[in-house]
Amino acid sequence: MSAVGLAAETWTRRHLLDVDQLSRSELEATLDLAAALRERRRAGDLGEAMRRLAGHTLGLAFYEASTRTRVSFELAARELGATVVDLSVAGSSAAKGESLVDTMRTLERTGVRTVVLRHPAAGAPYLVARTTGLRVLNAGDGAHAHPTQALLDALTLRDALGGTLRGRSIAIVGDVAHSRVARSNLHTLTRLGARVVLGGPPAWVAAFQHWPGVNVAASLHDALRGADAVMTLRVQLERAAGGGIGSLREYTRRWGLDEERMSWARARAPLLHPGPTNEGIELTAELAASERSLIGRQVSNGVAVRMAVLSLLAD
Amino acid sequence: MSGRQIMGADDLRRALVRIAHEIVEGNGGTDGLVMVGVHSRGVPLAERLAVMIREHEGVDVPVGSLDITYYRDDLTKIAHAPIVKRSEAMPDVTDKTVVLVDDVLFTGRTVRAALDAITDHGRPTAVRLAVVVDRGHRELPIRPDHVGKNLPTSLDENVQVRLSETDGVDEVLIARSPAR
Amino acid sequence: MVGHTTARFGALTDAPATFLLAGVRVVDPANGSDAVRDLAIVDGRIAESRDLPDDIRRLDGQGLVVAPGFCDLHTHLREPGMEGAETVASGARAAAHGGFTAVCAMPNTDPALDEVARVAWVTTLGRDASARVRVTAAATQGRAGEALADFGDLAAGGAVAFSDDGAALPTARIARSALEAIGPLGLPLIEHPEDPTLASGTLMRAGPVATRLGLAGWPPSAELLVVQRDIALAEETGGRLHLTHLSTAAALDAVRRAKDRGVRVTCDVTPHHLSMSDAWVAGDRTFNWDEPGPTESEPFGEALDPLRAYDGTCRVNPPLPCREDALALIRGVADGTVDAIATDHAPHPPERTLVEFAEAAPGMIGLETALSLGLAAVEAGCLSLAGLLAAMSTRPAALIGEERSLRPGAEADLVVFDPADRWRVERDWLASLSTNTPLMGMTIPGVVRLTLANGRVTFDEGMGLLV
């Protein structure tokens, strides 16, 4: 069955828990669909897509604060015709100590059919998928996965690097160990044929050396050299103290990105960041605002990617 | 007071059966045992324990009671100096093993006042302490000999033991205290 | 497969049993014998074939195995304080169902078993239970790790060992004092070897699976450091040390070397650490002696199975080991470095395990599945049947001063099981009040048909002795 009249086959799966579920051809097809939806949105004409989720109630269950991702999902769902319910966790029974499973079961009983779940515990969406009849879309679970972020990063990179990631070298710098964005990106990038080089303090990157297609560099210079694109991650400030590095200053000195350091990568190599940025720590304000930075495009690709995923999930 | 139930009727009964057993076991029998309940809920608790001991050992252990109230020097201060109002129906305690019974052990000040009252009354061989809940935050070096449940709490929480004799139901509740 | 509706439980206070089990395979690790013969019990004692009453009840033992009753050094009966998950009565029934005739109840109850009167209470509860309930008392008052418990009084009150299980003794000084004080009593200090500073915040064994799942990884040094510390202290004081639920090859090697030096150290491993690996957290359900499961083979490649990944029942302390270490532990059982298999039976109610992995209470039930997991290892050829049975019966029993004998005249303390039959782990087949095990829904080998403790039938599955 084609989704939104754009000649894309819907999936047989009802959940998107992580990008590891998608084969290379499914990844490419999803990105293609997202690009097509993006064009339709720009042209102001969504056509059939507007009714894809008509009559469908979708719940946003964000157990971690987020504006960017939540708004992005809400826009995506509404543009497809869904009724959106925001389960604002603070003040709900969830905050009063009701278990995740109980809250989700209650949500299901009120007629919600899909839940977009962001939760601080890795594995939470899997728990909801097996204990309820809801379709589950993972919007970020602990340090494990953030599938739609990885998809929009892949779309952004694919566009910036001439339409394919095959054979490309992508550097990811920062706290990979605690980053769900990084993990999901490792799946998509390697599956799409790219090589990944990681840079950062050992406690944050060393464990990934066994990941096929991934290398760990000893210095920022080694990580950036030959990179077609660079992604840096937000240093979680609460994690810095006693969490594998000495001080934030040292992190910035050894692994922080600025325009001069970016010149170690391939000429005009673009920069990505999942946001929100800590300017002055993992990257400078100038770099974030420079022409290399695709941060703005990542955000605008987010809605299209989420529309694509919502369209492709089986009923 | 509403709140979260920590122990139901069954849990409470089970804890009291165990405590009754521990009291007899710890004393090597029922000889010389005297139960003293601290008003208000310690009294029915002491009576229940005595009934359980009678059912198991066939012996009637004397039960007494102490009434402790708090001295407040002004309404905005938390009570800090409990005083004994009047000792009612205190059996003989000299050369006896007194088991002091109360519902919740908190700072220990009530127990301290009760200890003073008991020793004013006579010269017991030993005084033991049995409580349903130990909620921590001791201000004095007092440790219960028999405890139903250890319940770590924060200072803004309130623990209530409810008994059918006084409240119509058997349960232990914990709740946030209303702001002063 | 025999239907579960025929399962019956008996108590230690019942009348002693009398029957003849014909043509059964009797495996006795005490004297190394393994032969098919008739086994007769008269008034609860093993009897010579020639001294039997003519009308003795005859049962068909063909295809069944008789072994000495199992002894579990590490069980959580949850009473007092957590009776929703298990009680002495239900835990003893689970024990009998699993072929155990004795269990050692761990003291991390609420309140802790750190007083003579409380130890006496649990012993009293066990008097008419379906298995002998021995008590391991706390090593420190309130298990707070500060003041030593009254070891002498507790020993006189029946404690068979001392432990602050759930945690290691917090300082070398306290551990040394405990070993020094307990030593002369002839009882062991049972240590849960885990360094809290290294273990803190971790959720599963460090390794490729943990990296893939985004769960903080537990380093093997967390176990090794406490093992090394306590071995040194035991060596210095001459105290008796027992290390429980070892999960790393490194710790096992340290124990092996210490034993060679003559240190009084013993150790146990759990059935789940032998059979399951860290890949189970990702959703694999293959045993360590079978072909590796999908995540085991390709930790970074395979999509995670939503039905099984991050299952809270796979969370355990110490965490499930990597396959390599598990196989080393199995070799340790086979070569005798591991003194006993102990279940660490840890019941939890569903609201504590049907939750996010990081919130799940660690531990799984194990009394009723221990034999089956062991038999699966025997079937795979990595353990001998005699070796398995010794590790579950005679050897742990010896550590707490109990004997296990199948000689004529001995009180019947034994288990009869069918190694060829299989059973599916489900709610109706479990005597435990709790069901927290990742084995739920799986079919495993070995069905216990009869358990006798103190000469009484405590469990009967379709043999007709208990009706």
Side-chain angles (χ1 to χ4, degrees), chain A residues 26 41 57 81 122-123 207 218 224 245 269:
Chain A
E26 281 177 314
R41 282 186 84 220
T57 309
L224 295 183
I245 62 170

PDB file of all heavy atoms in Angstrom, chain A residues 26 41 57 81 122-123 207 218 224 245 269:
ATOM      1  N   GLU A  26      15.174   0.281   3.246  1.00  0.00           N
ATOM      2  CA  GLU A  26      14.094   0.971   3.967  1.00  0.00           C
ATOM      3  C   GLU A  26      14.547   2.349   4.425  1.00  0.00           C
ATOM      4  O   GLU A  26      13.777   3.313   4.403  1.00  0.00           O
ATOM      5  CB  GLU A  26      13.656   0.158   5.180  1.00  0.00           C
ATOM      6  CG  GLU A  26      12.735  -1.002   4.825  1.00  0.00           C
ATOM      7  CD  GLU A  26      12.377  -1.822   6.052  1.00  0.00           C
ATOM      8  OE1 GLU A  26      13.297  -2.146   6.835  1.00  0.00           O
ATOM      9  OE2 GLU A  26      11.194  -2.151   6.224  1.00  0.00           O
ATOM     10  N   ARG A  41       5.499  20.307   1.645  1.00  0.00           N
ATOM     11  CA  ARG A  41       5.217  21.308   2.690  1.00  0.00           C
ATOM     12  C   ARG A  41       5.634  22.685   2.219  1.00  0.00           C
ATOM     13  O   ARG A  41       4.934  23.669   2.429  1.00  0.00           O
ATOM     14  CB  ARG A  41       5.984  20.991   3.978  1.00  0.00           C
ATOM     15  CG  ARG A  41       5.383  19.895   4.814  1.00  0.00           C
ATOM     16  CD  ARG A  41       6.140  19.767   6.130  1.00  0.00           C
ATOM     17  NE  ARG A  41       5.661  20.701   7.123  1.00  0.00           N
ATOM     18  CZ  ARG A  41       6.443  21.370   7.976  1.00  0.00           C
ATOM     19  NH1 ARG A  41       7.746  21.229   7.943  1.00  0.00           N
ATOM     20  NH2 ARG A  41       5.904  22.169   8.883  1.00  0.00           N
ATOM     21  N   THR A  57      -5.931   9.200  16.859  1.00  0.00           N
ATOM     22  CA  THR A  57      -5.490   9.988  18.010  1.00  0.00           C
ATOM     23  C   THR A  57      -4.085   9.574  18.405  1.00  0.00           C
ATOM     24  O   THR A  57      -3.802   8.400  18.639  1.00  0.00           O
ATOM     25  CB  THR A  57      -6.432   9.791  19.214  1.00  0.00           C
ATOM     26  OG1 THR A  57      -7.769  10.010  18.783  1.00  0.00           O
ATOM     27  CG2 THR A  57      -6.091  10.764  20.324  1.00  0.00           C
ATOM     28  N   GLY A  81      -3.128  15.070   9.761  1.00  0.00           N
ATOM     29  CA  GLY A  81      -4.549  14.963  10.059  1.00  0.00           C
ATOM     30  C   GLY A  81      -4.881  14.302  11.385  1.00  0.00           C
ATOM     31  O   GLY A  81      -6.050  14.051  11.676  1.00  0.00           O
ATOM     32  N   ALA A 122      16.463   3.833  29.398  1.00  0.00           N
ATOM     33  CA  ALA A 122      16.668   3.053  28.183  1.00  0.00           C
ATOM     34  C   ALA A 122      15.755   1.843  28.218  1.00  0.00           C
ATOM     35  O   ALA A 122      15.647   1.183  29.245  1.00  0.00           O
ATOM     36  CB  ALA A 122      18.130   2.613  28.086  1.00  0.00           C
ATOM     37  N   GLY A 123      15.116   1.562  27.089  1.00  0.00           N
ATOM     38  CA  GLY A 123      14.248   0.388  27.043  1.00  0.00           C
ATOM     39  C   GLY A 123      12.788   0.674  27.326  1.00  0.00           C
ATOM     40  O   GLY A 123      11.943  -0.197  27.115  1.00  0.00           O
ATOM     41  N   ALA A 207      34.508   2.306  24.373  1.00  0.00           N
ATOM     42  CA  ALA A 207      33.689   1.096  24.305  1.00  0.00           C
ATOM     43  C   ALA A 207      33.156   0.814  22.907  1.00  0.00           C
ATOM     44  O   ALA A 207      32.694  -0.286  22.625  1.00  0.00           O
ATOM     45  CB  ALA A 207      32.528   1.195  25.286  1.00  0.00           C
ATOM     46  N   ALA A 218      42.524   8.899  18.506  1.00  0.00           N
ATOM     47  CA  ALA A 218      43.227   9.236  19.745  1.00  0.00           C
ATOM     48  C   ALA A 218      43.219  10.730  20.036  1.00  0.00           C
ATOM     49  O   ALA A 218      43.463  11.147  21.160  1.00  0.00           O
ATOM     50  CB  ALA A 218      44.671   8.743  19.669  1.00  0.00           C
ATOM     51  N   LEU A 224      39.149  14.304  13.005  1.00  0.00           N
ATOM     52  CA  LEU A 224      38.627  15.197  11.962  1.00  0.00           C
ATOM     53  C   LEU A 224      39.284  14.994  10.613  1.00  0.00           C
ATOM     54  O   LEU A 224      38.686  15.268   9.570  1.00  0.00           O
ATOM     55  CB  LEU A 224      38.804  16.663  12.391  1.00  0.00           C
ATOM     56  CG  LEU A 224      37.995  17.094  13.614  1.00  0.00           C
ATOM     57  CD1 LEU A 224      38.208  18.580  13.900  1.00  0.00           C
ATOM     58  CD2 LEU A 224      36.516  16.837  13.402  1.00  0.00           C
ATOM     59  N   ILE A 245      35.801  12.913  32.635  1.00  0.00           N
ATOM     60  CA  ILE A 245      36.712  13.987  32.253  1.00  0.00           C
ATOM     61  C   ILE A 245      37.011  14.826  33.487  1.00  0.00           C
ATOM     62  O   ILE A 245      36.318  14.724  34.493  1.00  0.00           O
ATOM     63  CB  ILE A 245      36.141  14.913  31.153  1.00  0.00           C
ATOM     64  CG1 ILE A 245      34.872  15.623  31.645  1.00  0.00           C
ATOM     65  CG2 ILE A 245      35.860  14.126  29.884  1.00  0.00           C
ATOM     66  CD1 ILE A 245      34.413  16.721  30.713  1.00  0.00           C
ATOM     67  N   ALA A 269      33.629  20.840   4.902  1.00  0.00           N
ATOM     68  CA  ALA A 269      32.882  19.782   5.592  1.00  0.00           C
ATOM     69  C   ALA A 269      31.827  20.419   6.489  1.00  0.00           C
ATOM     70  O   ALA A 269      32.137  21.311   7.271  1.00  0.00           O
ATOM     71  CB  ALA A 269      33.823  18.915   6.428  1.00  0.00           C
TER      72      ALA A 269
END
